[in-house]
């Protein structure tokens, strides 16, 4: 199902965090939300997930997200916080199970997710006793387990930030897999190179405004990235012929 | 720590039953020694009333404490520390004063004024919740654990001052009846209808809370996480706070403001049974019963020469020490 954001604006008191943002995210595609610190990425994701009051309209599958009943929204939109609460004295397994009501539990799917995200050995450990990266994987497993059908939406706020590279790629594989199966996926990332490599589309923000949106090849280009971040990016060639976006080294008075 | 799940509940039920049985049997006549014997028929009613009151009050306070700790995400929360008990007490004292100045005959005090206790408890809870919440803009306010406790302590102090003020305004005879109640004591005579009414309220609040166990589990996460997992926080908060107000006010109207039980009962249950509310809530109630009825048994043993110590005094001293330990742990953690 398609996510449509139409002229949305969101405020924190007098601070305008999102200013008239329009964009669409298509099902089966992974859309990366990119921008500098305080660009409004997290606020935009919270608006898309129906967690933040905003002006304008947010529709998912033709239905207004804001007017959905909490329970119905939870069945089709799964959101993952940038910093999930980690001091909850529950075991890893209990925490993942929390994603669904008792009547909707699917032990096979739960076990499969825990195994593939390498959490099975930690299932009886208490979440507060885990490392930050492990806690983030638990939160990702819970978010993926929340969606019962493949036509829902995943909204992920920097899901891989505290993970080591191997587990970050494992997480990205799961997220891409969800998109391949038909989910609409929205995720914010700070690693432009990673976003360019794994995402299908990108939304580029600065100061709550849209700098660009569309296929990655059209949005994550040096000109727009300079406009968003104020620094130069260059495409580095890898041995397999593909390219990787990286910030140019600063030129000290040359 | 190994969690015992349903077996833990069974263990708590056995201990609670033993403590209650002990309360029926234990006897120490003034100046005499302790004995355990089935009471004479004339005394049975008094001991049974004290035991049942202990069960209702202990279970209610611990359940209210568990619900407050979850809804406020604060391990230091309890009806006593957040001023809810004092608010209920103030409600009763205001009503006592109004009855006195209206010239109506003041009969069995103070339990008959439960509605005014509920009004006081809810007012205190609303003030503490509103002032303990920091604004974050866009509806993203958050509860500061330390600010919440500080506001609770201040509200509790103000309400305690108010109680003393209104106690001072009523005649000496009436004042004497309130003094024992203010210390927190389990009465040995309560009318049957009041016990039945209080038990019915506690059962309704318990059943309501048990119907919300998954939502309460989700409330341990952040507001946004709970919301995204399908919890409508506004209605749930109103329902749970109302349940806490009912449980605290019925306890205060029966036995006065009693500390410790609402704080430690839930912690003990959490250590034994884990954080999932399906087991935690009944476990907390059982721990509360064990603590309060157990303390009532213990006070029969302590002879300081000036009559038996009110159970509230015993629990306040013990509760103060446990609160300081928990506060220290919380400060280290944050």
């Amino acid at each position: 199902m398609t996510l449509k954001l139409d002229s949305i604006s969101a405020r924190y008191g007098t601070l305008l965090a999102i200013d008239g943002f329009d964009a669409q995210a298509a099902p089966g595609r992974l859309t990366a939300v990119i921008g500098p610190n305080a660009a409004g990425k997290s606020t935009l994701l919270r608006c898309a997930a129906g967690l933040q009051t905003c002006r304008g309209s947010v529709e998912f599958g033709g239905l207004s997200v804001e007017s959905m009943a909490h329970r119905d929204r939870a069945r089709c939109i799964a959101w993952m916080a940038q910093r999930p609460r980690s001091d909850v004295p529950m075991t890893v397994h209990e925490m993942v199970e929390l994603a669904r009501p008792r009547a909707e539990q699917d032990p096979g799917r739960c076990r499969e997710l825990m195994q593939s995200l390498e959490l099975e050995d930690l299932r009886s450990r208490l979440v507060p006793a885990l490392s930050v990266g492990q806690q983030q994987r638990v939160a990702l497993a819970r978010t993926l387990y929340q969606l019962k059908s493949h036509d829902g939406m995943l909204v992920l706020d920097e899901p891989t930030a505290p993970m080591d590279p191997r587990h970050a790629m494992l997480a990205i594989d799961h997220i891409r897999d969800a998109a391949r199966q038909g989910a609409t996926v929205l995720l914010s990332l700070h690693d432009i190179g990673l976003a360019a490599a794994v995402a299908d589309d990108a939304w580029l923000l600065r100061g709550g405004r849209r700098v660009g949106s569309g296929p990655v090849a059209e949005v994550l280009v040096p000109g727009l990235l300079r406009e968003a971040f104020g620094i130069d990016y260059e495409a580095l060639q890898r041995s397999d012929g593909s390219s990787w976006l990286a910030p140019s080294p600063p030129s000290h008075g040359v | 720590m190994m969690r015992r799940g349903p077996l833990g509940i069974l263990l708590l039920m056995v201990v609670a039953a033993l403590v209650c049985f002990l309360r029926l049997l234990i006897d120490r006549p003034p100046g005499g020694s302790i004995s355990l014997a089935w009471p004479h028929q004339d005394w049975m009613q008094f001991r049974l009333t004290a035991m049942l009151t202990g069960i209702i009050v202990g279970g209610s306070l611990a359940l209210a404490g568990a619900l407050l700790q979850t809804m406020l995400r604060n391990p230091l929360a309890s009806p006593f520390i957040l001023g809810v008990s004092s608010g209920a007490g103030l409600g009763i004292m205001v009503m006592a004063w109004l009855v006195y100045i209206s010239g109506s005959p003041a009969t069995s005090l103070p339990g008959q004024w439960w509605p005014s206790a509920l009004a006081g408890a809810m007012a205190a809870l609303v003030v503490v919740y509103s002032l303990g919440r920091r604004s974050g803009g866009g509806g993203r306010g958050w509860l500061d654990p330390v600010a919440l406790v500080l506001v609770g302590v201040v509200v509790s102090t103000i309400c305690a001052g108010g109680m003393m003020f209104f106690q001072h305004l009523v005649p000496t005879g009436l004042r004497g009846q309130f003094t024992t109640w203010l210390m927190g004591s389990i009465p040995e005579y309560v009318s049957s209808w009041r016990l039945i009414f209080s038990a019915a309220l506690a059962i309704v609040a318990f059943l309501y809370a048990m119907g919300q166990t998954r939502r309460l589990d989700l409330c341990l996460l952040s507001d946004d996480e709970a919301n995204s997992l399908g919890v409508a926080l506004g209605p749930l908060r109103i329902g749970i706070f109302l349940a806490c107000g009912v449980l605290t006010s019925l306890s205060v109207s029966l036995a006065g403001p009693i500390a410790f039980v609402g704080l430690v009962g839930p912690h003990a249950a959490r250590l034994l049974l884990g954080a999932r509310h399906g087991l935690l809530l009944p476990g907390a109630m059982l721990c509360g019963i064990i603590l309060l009825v157990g303390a009532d048994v213990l006070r029969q043993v302590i002879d300081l020469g000036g009559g038996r110590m009110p159970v509230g005094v015993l629990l306040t001293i013990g509760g103060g020490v446990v609160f300081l330990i928990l506060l220290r742990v919380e400060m280290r953690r944050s």
Side-chain angles (χ1 to χ4, degrees):
Chain A
M1 291 192 280
T2 301
L3 170 75
K4 283 185 189 171
L5 307 181
D6 187 8
S7 303
I8 65 161
S9 299
R11 283 182 176 279
Y12 297 112
T14 55
L15 176 73
L16 188 60
I18 298 291
D19 186 9
F21 194 92
D22 296 287
Q24 287 194 14
R29 292 177 73 83
L30 198 155
T31 303
V33 180
I34 310 283
N37 292 334
K41 301 186 295 296
S42 296
T43 305
L44 188 65
L45 294 185
R46 291 178 74 251
C47 290
L51 302 174
Q52 168 105 21
T53 309
C54 58
R55 292 178 69 180
S57 106
V58 181
E59 287 185 1
F60 182 60
L63 295 172
S64 163
V65 169
E66 204 176 355
S67 62
M68 283 182 186
H70 283 73
R71 198 178 290 181
D72 296 339
R73 196 182 63 212
R75 286 199 176 101
C76 64
I77 302 175
W79 172 81
M80 180 178 162
Q82 187 178 356
R83 278 175 288 185
R85 197 166 171 108
S86 57
D87 60 349
V88 179
M90 286 189 189
T91 64
V92 168
H93 183 240
E94 285 175 331
M95 186 61 102
V96 178
E97 269 192 334
L98 268 189
R100 293 189 190 184
R102 187 188 291 261
E104 295 174 15
Q105 291 291 335
D106 179 352
R109 171 71 177 147
C110 184
R111 197 179 315 114
E112 175 197 324
L113 272 170
M114 287 181 58
Q115 277 170 350
S116 58
L117 281 166
E118 300 182 0
L119 293 169
E120 193 59 27
D121 291 345
L122 306 173
R123 64 180 286 132
S124 300
R125 294 267 302 275
L126 289 175
V127 172
L130 303 179
S131 73
V132 177
Q134 288 172 325
Q135 288 170 348
Q136 196 80 353
R137 267 188 286 147
V138 174
L140 179 62
R142 191 184 69 212
T143 311
L144 293 168
Y145 184 51
Q146 185 182 341
L147 282 191
K148 275 182 72 181
S149 62
H150 298 308
D151 58 356
M153 176 164 70
L154 285 173
V155 182
L156 311 165
D157 198 351
E158 298 189 35
T160 57
M163 293 183 195
D164 62 65
R166 192 174 74 81
H167 285 111
M169 292 319 295
L170 189 67
I172 290 290
D173 275 350
H174 278 77
I175 295 164
R176 281 198 62 82
D177 218 34
R180 266 196 294 272
Q181 290 179 29
T184 307
V185 180
L186 213 57
L187 86 159
S188 67
L189 288 170
H190 267 301
D191 187 335
I192 311 293
L194 181 65
V198 303
D200 302 300
D201 300 313
W203 297 350
L204 194 57
L205 287 93
R206 182 183 172 89
R209 288 172 173 272
R210 190 183 64 179
V211 173
S213 66
V216 160
E218 293 171 17
V219 177
L220 299 186
V221 292
L224 289 178
L225 288 171
R226 181 173 179 77
E227 192 181 332
F229 289 94
I231 58 169
D232 290 322
Y233 272 82
E234 58 184 317
L236 304 177
Q237 290 297 314
R238 292 195 295 204
S239 55
D240 64 357
S242 62
S243 62
W244 186 266
L245 278 167
S248 303
S251 51
H252 296 287
V254 178
Chain B
M1 177 168 181
M2 197 181 82
R3 280 148 176 199
R4 291 167 180 82
L7 268 181
I9 289 279
L10 197 64
L11 176 74
L12 289 174
M13 285 170 82
V14 171
V15 175
L18 282 174
V19 170
C20 290
F21 194 54
L22 203 57
R23 178 64 186 90
L24 286 181
L25 300 189
I26 196 162
D27 184 37
R28 183 174 63 79
S33 55
I34 298 160
S35 64
L36 288 177
W38 193 252
H40 186 272
Q41 200 176 347
D42 295 344
W43 298 108
M44 187 59 178
Q45 187 195 341
F46 298 112
R47 293 204 194 162
L48 202 58
T49 300
M51 185 196 78
L52 291 173
T53 308
I55 290 172
I56 295 168
V57 173
S60 297
L61 286 176
L63 178 59
L67 294 173
L68 286 173
Q69 285 170 14
T70 295
M71 289 313 290
L72 303 175
R73 299 190 189 98
N74 192 332
L76 302 175
S78 81
F80 191 83
I81 288 161
L82 295 183
V84 188
S85 297
S86 303
L90 181 59
I92 285 176
M93 293 302 299
V94 170
M95 185 53 82
W97 176 69
L98 287 174
V99 168
Y100 165 66
I101 59 168
S102 71
S104 305
T107 53
S108 61
L109 298 171
Q112 58 189 328
W113 300 320
W114 169 73
S116 56
L118 178 62
M122 292 310 296
L125 198 50
V126 168
V127 169
V128 171
Y129 181 76
S130 308
L131 296 180
R133 197 169 171 83
R134 300 265 179 98
S135 76
R140 296 183 71 192
W142 54 285
L143 289 165
D144 180 340
V146 178
L148 201 71
V149 170
L150 286 174
V151 173
V153 169
V154 173
V155 168
S156 184
T157 307
I158 292 170
C159 290
M163 278 196 276
M164 285 189 274
F165 174 74
F166 284 103
Q167 193 191 14
H168 186 71
L169 294 182
V170 297
T172 315
L174 201 56
R175 205 180 295 168
Q177 290 187 48
F178 279 113
T179 304
T180 313
W181 171 78
L182 276 170
M183 287 184 196
S185 61
I186 297 181
E188 291 188 327
Y189 177 76
V190 181
S191 65
S192 304
W193 76 264
R194 271 196 59 214
L195 271 184
I196 293 167
F197 176 69
S198 302
L201 281 176
I203 289 167
V204 168
F206 173 68
L207 292 177
Y208 168 73
M210 287 302 289
Q212 310 297 325
T213 50
R214 179 171 181 266
R215 291 187 188 92
L216 290 166
D217 286 345
L218 293 172
C219 282
L220 295 171
L221 305 170
S222 67
D223 278 7
D224 276 345
E225 287 173 287
N227 193 341
S228 74
L229 285 159
V231 181
L233 283 166
L236 182 67
R237 275 196 186 116
I238 292 170
I240 293 293
F241 284 163
L242 194 59
C244 290
V246 166
L247 291 163
T248 307
S249 56
L250 76 87
S251 302
V252 171
S253 68
L254 276 172
I258 288 181
F260 185 59
V261 177
L263 178 70
V264 176
H267 279 284
R270 208 172 281 118
L271 278 173
L272 189 66
L273 304 165
R276 299 294 289 264
H277 289 78
L279 288 174
L280 175 67
L281 298 183
M285 283 189 93
L286 288 166
C287 287
I289 291 167
I290 293 166
L291 281 167
L292 189 55
V293 180
D296 199 26
V297 169
L298 189 62
R299 85 186 181 96
Q300 313 290 329
V301 178
I302 300 170
D303 183 6
L304 299 174
R308 284 173 203 152
M309 185 190 288
V311 73
V313 176
L314 192 66
L315 286 166
T316 303
I317 295 167
V321 174
V322 173
F323 179 73
L324 284 176
I325 294 168
L326 288 173
L327 186 65
R328 184 83 187 137
V329 170
E330 181 63 15
M331 283 168 78
R332 274 190 188 162
R333 213 167 59 166
S334 58

